[in-house]
Amino acid sequence: MAFKLKEEALKPERLTGGHRMCAGCGAPVVVRAVLRALKAEDQAVICSATGCLEVSTFMYPYTAWNDSFIHSAFENAGATISGAEAAYKAMKKKGKLPADQTIKFIAFGGDGGTYDIGLQSLSGAMERGHDMVYVCYDNGAYMNTGIQRSSATPRFADTTTSPAGSSVPGKQQQRKDLTAIMAAHHLPYVAQTAPLGSKHGGFKDLHEKAEKAIYTEGACFLNVLAPCPRGWRYDTPKLLEMTDIAVDTCVWPLYEIVDGKLTLSYIPKEKKPVEEYLKAQGRFRHVFKKGNEWMIEEIQKEVDRTWEDLLNRNETK
Amino acid sequence: MSEKVLMKGNEAIAEAAILAGCRYFFGYPITPQTEIAAYMAKKMPKIGGTFLQAESEVSAINMVYGAAGAGARVMTSSSSPGMSLKGEGISYIAGADLPCVIVNIVRGGPGLGGIQPAQSDYFQATKGGGHGDYHLLVLAPNSVQEMVSLTIDAFDLADKYRIPVMLLGDGTLGQMMEPVEFSNDNISHVYEKPWATVGTQKKRKHNIINTLYMSPEELEYTIIERQKKYNSIVQNEIRCETSYLEDAEYVLSAYGTSSRIVETAVHQLRKEGYKAGIIRPITLWPFPSHIYKKAAEHAKAFLSVEMSMGQMVEDIMLAVNGKAPVHFFGRTGGVIPTPAEIVSKVKDIAGGNASE
């Protein structure tokens, strides 16, 4: 069925307004888009790792979630949702839950809670193959505690624990390729996506991938780019401009891996230079200073290398 | 004397650590202590030190384990939930007799709790937290200035006794700004570390850092040996501040942030004619039991004021040993007690209207 946002938007919201996420934040946009892919009649158990999303949407006794919601700690969203799913399966087998009732298990974590401290429990959950989806909303730093570098922070980005200055050029390491790590778990469905502007089909890519991830049996993983206006330093209305340019420069390639087969979801006719992505964000301001040209070259080189690699692995030419 | 600067408690700890010769810091973000890591991230590269943000608290404390084993002056910091994650590593460091400084800027718990200041990690800090027979030397500052002096002392004490030292603050002390002075007076000593695993140069036998013993007798021996060290710390390192204690009928006791509030309350009580005094432990372990014992000779009652449901009060009871009633007043979960509440509690005790 073709994706029509107008029709999808008629579904009741599962993450309602009134939560305390910042204006211009990508995370709640991602969550709403992922949850729109649920059939209206299906229920969900949502688990969130500690992070902006959790502290701002679930301020007990208030909640913005219309589905069941669990939060326990920072490092264990993968384990917590595994336990809930295992209990569901057992209860269903014993006939303690109605046979015609479908409950989906979806975990959300930021990059700190997913790439770093939560990687162990995520890997365990994925390897065991629980029927679940783990969604990483990747904003490239620990934004909740005030912008500290994570292993998802792009090289040279300025954060409070990778401060750009005369001694340190910002974050010194390349970001970890988490999507590839998840694919190495031989999952039935892994995808990288983002909420996008209308020229890239808007929410189509994200919606379709979320739908596949939710309704493919087994452990599935989505890595979703979710810009943060505080950490990236952009004007709040420019959220989708950020993701658009990330896709056009191939900084954030869109692809999916179905049973090991990789398909690029979008190949720009003309790959834009990485400067266009960098200049839109305050966290990269220093790379444009005289004498720092090498930083831009290094970033471009890494983007080119990753993109070439994906083009070579793309099985749907 | 150097000039006074206005600083946040967290930043002051970081600056003091650098002044004490700490060149290795391993951290992980958690509110309300992240400023320590951010300060270290900015400063360490400029002075040839190492700031490293780990991928979790578990990793950060084990990096401390490694650096301490190599003889470095090393520090990590966290707040309550993160300290729980560090528990395993802290037990190993204690079991390996390695020196390091661990900062806990406490917030409300248990579980995720809150991000507001609390003193509910007293048990965790003083009674273990990790597994096994061990102690941390626990220092409890009550001002930003004292965060500086105690951080510097913490490194010395750690090296002197080969023991992990904990600086136990809370969200108030970490976040509030006060004028501080960094004088060169109490700059710490350099300790020889012949036990450090830094390579033998083929000139000596291997140094071994280990916490595993297959023979129970051997393990027992190491624990008993370590106990001697603990006894010597109890003998020599207790720190405590008292005021109006000589004639005190009502002895109020508090550490850290709550001791500042107790001070205000005691001034008020004295004005109103109540003979109130203060015992403020600065070392929470070793605990200044003898001071309480002595005060019990003339005190009518004790009152422990804490930002918890009553943890230090148990140590006071042990020290007082039934010689006088020991009362408790606390606010918890991030709520801070007010002087008025404390004054009214003392009046209740004095009027015989408070149960222990």
Side-chain angles (χ1 to χ4, degrees):
Chain A
M1 196 177 67
F3 170 75
K4 286 200 182 91
L5 182 61
K6 269 188 187 166
E7 283 172 24
E8 291 296 332
L10 294 175
K11 287 182 181 171
E13 282 288 353
R14 286 171 181 259
L15 177 72
T16 59
H19 57 70
R20 302 183 186 188
M21 298 292 273
C22 302
C25 167
V29 175
V30 167
V31 171
R32 289 168 62 217
V34 167
L35 297 184
R36 264 199 302 271
L38 274 164
K39 291 175 193 158
E41 65 273 24
D42 289 350
Q43 291 174 292
V45 172
I46 311 286
C47 176
S48 177
T50 305
C52 290
L53 179 68
E54 167 265 323
V55 301
S56 308
T57 59
F58 191 82
M59 308 202 68
Y60 185 78
Y62 304 104
T63 179
W65 301 85
N66 275 329
D67 291 288
S68 300
F69 181 88
I70 321 174
H71 163 262
S72 45
F74 201 4
E75 69 281 10
N76 54 15
T80 305
I81 199 80
S82 295
E85 188 267 355
Y88 169 72
K89 243 185 209 161
M91 287 167 85
K92 201 127 204 206
K93 208 191 238 172
K94 289 183 179 171
K96 289 185 174 176
L97 288 171
D100 58 349
Q101 179 191 31
T102 302
I103 302 178
K104 291 294 179 184
F105 294 83
I106 304 172
F108 290 97
D111 48 286
T114 307
Y115 282 68
D116 289 351
I117 196 168
L119 188 64
Q120 178 176 319
S121 74
L122 170 61
S123 178
M126 293 285 129
E127 186 270 337
R128 289 188 299 270
H130 295 272
D131 190 8
M132 59 171 276
V133 185
Y134 191 105
V135 183
C136 175
Y137 69 96
D138 182 345
N139 54 27
Y142 291 81
M143 302 308 185
N144 189 38
T145 42
I147 317 163
Q148 291 80 36
R149 59 89 82 189
S150 76
S151 58
T153 304
R155 195 169 172 206
F156 301 123
D158 177 42
T159 75
T160 59
T161 52
S162 63
S166 49
S167 312
V168 176
K171 196 206 173 192
Q172 298 177 69
Q173 299 83 5
Q174 301 287 1
R175 51 183 294 280
K176 186 189 278 181
D177 188 351
L178 180 68
T179 314
I181 294 171
M182 288 298 108
H185 286 69
H186 311 298
L187 306 179
Y189 189 79
V190 174
Q192 197 162 282
T193 176
L196 296 160
S198 53
K199 66 172 176 174
H200 289 118
F203 288 79
K204 185 173 184 289
D205 192 73
L206 175 50
H207 180 89
E208 288 174 354
K209 285 172 177 168
E211 197 169 42
K212 282 184 202 169
I214 293 168
Y215 290 101
T216 297
E217 207 186 324
C220 300
F221 178 80
L222 294 176
N223 202 358
V224 192
L225 188 67
C228 165
R230 297 273 291 108
W232 293 28
R233 286 182 264 150
Y234 61 84
D235 287 341
T236 51
K238 294 186 174 170
L239 167 61
L240 298 183
E241 287 177 34
M242 295 299 125
T243 50
D244 278 346
I245 194 64
V247 164
D248 284 334
T249 52
C250 300
V251 163
W252 189 261
L254 307 177
Y255 63 93
E256 60 183 7
I257 302 170
V258 184
D259 294 323
K261 196 174 151 189
L262 187 144
T263 304
L264 279 167
S265 318
Y266 172 68
I267 303 176
K269 283 202 185 80
E270 194 191 341
K271 190 170 83 173
K272 289 195 172 158
V274 78
E275 280 98 324
E276 298 206 15
Y277 169 77
L278 302 173
K279 75 179 179 200
Q281 303 171 40
R283 64 175 172 162
F284 292 113
R285 188 169 295 148
H286 59 288
V287 308
F288 293 97
K289 276 191 187 153
K290 213 169 163 3
N292 287 349
E293 295 80 6
W294 63 278
M295 294 184 188
I296 299 175
E297 283 166 32
E298 290 279 316
I299 295 169
Q300 186 66 62
K301 225 190 287 174
E302 182 56 22
V303 167
D304 291 348
R305 194 191 61 75
T306 319
W307 180 243
E308 282 304 314
D309 182 46
L310 284 171
L311 282 175
N312 290 333
R313 289 168 58 206
N314 185 20
E315 294 191 41
T316 316
K317 312 258 169 171
Chain B
M1 277 290 162
S2 56
E3 59 170 349
K4 284 201 168 176
V5 286
L6 195 61
M7 245 179 162
K8 261 192 179 191
N10 285 335
E11 295 167 343
I13 288 172
E15 184 59 35
I18 290 169
L19 204 62
C22 171
R23 290 295 176 275
Y24 298 86
F25 178 88
F26 303 100
Y28 191 73
I30 184 167
T31 308
Q33 65 78 48
T34 308
E35 293 85 0
I36 301 176
Y39 195 91
M40 289 297 197
K42 274 209 165 129
K43 274 286 177 83
M44 282 297 197
K46 290 185 180 155
I47 54 167
T50 295
F51 161 80
L52 200 156
Q53 184 188 315
E55 74 278 14
S56 71
E57 285 92 349
V58 176
S59 298
I61 191 67
N62 283 292
M63 289 171 186
V64 169
Y65 189 9
R73 281 210 150 173
V74 55
M75 182 167 99
T76 186
S77 65
S78 192
S79 179
S80 310
M83 210 48 70
S84 292
L85 282 173
K86 287 187 197 287
E88 180 192 60
I90 292 173
S91 166
Y92 277 65
I93 292 169
D97 295 306
L98 294 177
C100 66
V101 175
I102 301 156
V103 180
N104 184 3
I105 301 298
V106 182
R107 60 189 241 186
L112 198 62
I115 57 170
Q116 306 301 327
Q119 295 183 318
S120 39
D121 294 357
Y122 179 92
F123 283 152
Q124 188 194 46
T126 61
K127 312 286 174 194
H131 59 282
D133 265 332
Y134 79 90
H135 279 292
L136 303 177
L137 207 159
V138 185
L139 301 171
N142 80 344
S143 67
V144 177
Q145 185 64 58
E146 214 173 58
M147 281 170 126
V148 170
S149 57
L150 291 183
T151 298
I152 294 170
D153 292 350
F155 281 99
D156 274 356
L157 289 165
D159 282 350
K160 186 175 172 191
Y161 292 101
R162 289 180 63 184
I163 186 175
V165 176
M166 179 173 282
L167 193 78
L168 193 72
D170 65 61
T172 308
L173 291 165
Q175 295 294 322
M176 75 181 183
M177 292 181 103
E178 283 185 324
V180 288
E181 207 167 26
F182 293 90
S183 78
N184 292 326
D185 303 345
N186 55 348
I187 288 303
S188 42
H189 308 92
V190 176
Y191 287 82
E192 293 297 319
K193 296 181 176 177
W195 45 263
T197 48
V198 288
T200 63
Q201 314 289 332
K202 295 188 176 161
K203 283 177 187 160
R204 60 161 168 81
K205 275 189 147 187
H206 291 281
N207 285 338
I208 294 170
I209 291 167
N210 175 45
T211 65
L212 173 69
Y213 298 90
M214 296 312 283
S215 136
E217 289 77 16
E218 213 184 327
L219 177 55
E220 186 191 42
Y221 172 78
T222 66
I223 296 168
I224 290 171
E225 281 301 299
R226 191 170 305 116
Q227 198 60 41
K228 292 179 189 163
K229 170 168 89 181
Y230 290 153
N231 291 342
S232 141
I233 294 171
V234 172
Q235 285 298 313
N236 301 308
E237 303 299 344
I238 288 176
R239 297 187 194 192
C240 186
E241 196 180 71
T242 61
S243 46
Y244 306 112
L245 201 56
E246 300 72 30
D247 64 340
E249 291 178 346
Y250 304 101
V251 177
L252 284 76
S253 186
Y255 69 94
T257 294
S258 48
S259 71
R260 304 265 295 253
I261 305 161
V262 162
E263 214 178 297
T264 311
V266 165
H267 286 150
Q268 180 65 32
L269 286 163
R270 281 272 164 180
K271 250 188 234 165
E272 295 184 32
Y274 292 89
K275 287 186 175 171
I278 307 172
I279 300 178
R280 170 172 83 95
I282 297 170
T283 52
L284 300 182
W285 193 90
F287 193 69
S289 304
H290 64 287
I291 310 235
Y292 292 90
K293 209 173 161 186
K294 188 149 186 295
E297 288 168 10
H298 51 76
K300 283 187 181 161
F302 287 79
L303 174 65
S304 183
V305 178
E306 304 174 47
M307 281 144 62
S308 74
M309 287 306 284
Q311 301 191 9
M312 186 174 75
V313 65
E314 294 189 5
D315 282 336
I316 299 174
M317 282 174 171
L318 280 172
V320 170
N321 200 17
K323 297 247 167 60
V326 179
H327 297 265
F328 170 75
F329 179 77
R331 298 299 304 266
T332 192
V335 182
I336 298 171
T338 64
E341 287 174 321
I342 299 166
V343 166
S344 129
K345 177 78 186 185
V346 173
K347 286 180 181 172
D348 281 351
I349 295 168
N353 300 322
S355 56
E356 262 182 81

